[in-house]
Every structure is written in C-alpha cells, then in structure tokens.
Amino acid sequence: MGTQGSAHIVWDWNGTLFHDNDAIIGATNAAFAELGLAPITLEQYRALYCVPVPRFYERLLGRLPSDAEWELMDGVFHRYYTEQRVRCRLTEGAEELLAGWRSAGHSQSLLSMYGHEDLVPLVRGFGIEAHFIRVDGRTGPSGGSKAEHMVRHLEALTGRVAPERTVVIGDAADDAVAARHVGARAVLYSGGSHSRVSLEGAGVPVVDTLAEAVAEARRMAA
C-alpha cells in the first residue's frame, strides 16, 4: 500500500473522521465566556467559522483579539475540548470506509491541525491507526492554516504518494486551500465545521456523507 502513482487520500480528523461538533461548540462557547461574549449555536458557528481562527473571533468581536485575549481563549478552548472529546465518536461509516479504501489497494494518511501529541493516542484508541501510512497532527502554535503542514506531510511521503493522484477529504474550506497548495485535489464534507453554503465557495466538490467523499475521491484520482 502506498506506492508512487496509486490513489491516495489525505484525511482530515476533527469534524471529518472524528464527529466532535458538540465538543467544538462547547469549547468555543467556553472560550467566548472568558471575554464576556454570548454563546453561539452550532449553526452560527458553521456559518461564521474560518481560518486563521483569530479571524473567526474577529467576526464576533468586531475586532481581532489581542495577543493576550487569543492566548486566554485558546487555552480555555483546548482544556474544555480535551474534557469533552471523550464523549465523541468516529463519524458514521468512517471505519468501514477506511478499511475498504485500504483493502482496495489504495493508500491513505491523516493530517490534522489538532496537536500531534494528543492526536496520535486518540487515533490509536479507536483502533484505526493501521489504516494510515502516516498520521500527522499540528506542531507549533494553533490557529493557522493547514497549507504548510500539508507541504511537510506530503514531503514525508515522497516516493509513496503522487500529489496529482492525491485527494484531501476535509470539512473546512482551508482543506481545499491546503490541497491546492501542494497540487492535490479536495472534496469537502458538509457535516463538520462549515455549512454547505460556505464550503461551496471553495470551488471543489461538496458532499454530505463520507461515503460520497470517498466515491468522489476514487473518481478524481482514477
């Protein structure tokens, strides 16, 4: 699995393979409370969320948060999320899709903006680590784009993965940006952090289930 020229999927984690919307919105509202902001609904979050994350906060504050505010909100968010993520599960059908793609002789990897040291044991705990030829989480500060992380991720797979036969599956417009940055393609899943309307502005296929995403990836990478 994972030879140059074969079809490859780079999966996103939060909101894509990992159905953590409840933990995300709870952590976001806990962070907002630190600045006296009113809580928002999941629908509002999905309509307004963007990367880099400080720009998302700007949409609600009417200004960019100060460095001190960002540090405070980011810390609260991650503490709350860590507490709540234990209640979350894989997205419906994810494990079967991972196994099916692998058994078909294709390769797949995982790239997340969730911290690497937290991501790896979480993936391992779901028993799905063996489906991936590489698992990378974020290193360095949180809140930025996935593009440069995608560059490093694919560079680590040099000789095993061809960018032109690689499809990124994620739930955020930034996943499409990261894919274009490395010459790959993208399919966006509407069940995570972005609404379908906001995803459709990314200029790539948008689907409502992971099964549809894998079918589209198979077609694109053929």
Side-chain angles (χ1 to χ4, degrees), residues 31 34-35 66-77 79:
E34 292 296 320
L35 296 190
S66 67
D67 290 345
E69 288 172 334
W70 164 250
E71 185 175 347
L72 173 64
M73 295 172 78
D74 193 49
V76 171
F77 177 94
R79 285 196 300 274

Side-chain angles (χ1 to χ4, degrees), residues 143-166:
S145 173
K146 186 179 280 188
E148 292 304 321
H149 294 269
M150 186 69 73
V151 171
R152 292 191 290 271
H153 185 71
L154 288 194
E155 283 178 348
L157 297 175
T158 297
R160 307 176 74 183
V161 169
E164 64 272 14
R165 295 205 63 201
T166 295

Side-chain angles (χ1 to χ4, degrees), residues 116-140:
H116 185 77
E117 298 302 318
D118 293 312
L119 174 69
V120 172
L122 186 55
V123 172
R124 189 171 293 150
F126 280 109
I128 58 174
E129 185 181 22
H131 293 309
F132 305 110
I133 60 174
R134 187 174 181 87
V135 174
D136 283 328
R138 172 186 49 78
T139 56

Side-chain angles (χ1 to χ4, degrees), residues 12-24 42 46 81 84-94 122 126 171 189-193 210:
D12 174 57
W13 179 247
N14 302 97
T16 304
L17 289 175
F18 190 43
H19 187 65
D20 60 349
N21 288 352
D22 289 344
I24 290 288
L42 178 59
R46 282 162 44 82
Y81 179 84
Q84 297 299 313
R85 74 182 188 195
V86 296
R87 302 180 183 180
C88 303
R89 297 292 179 262
L90 296 177
T91 301
E92 184 177 359
L122 186 55
F126 280 109
D171 70 316
Y189 164 61
S190 68
S193 64
L210 292 188

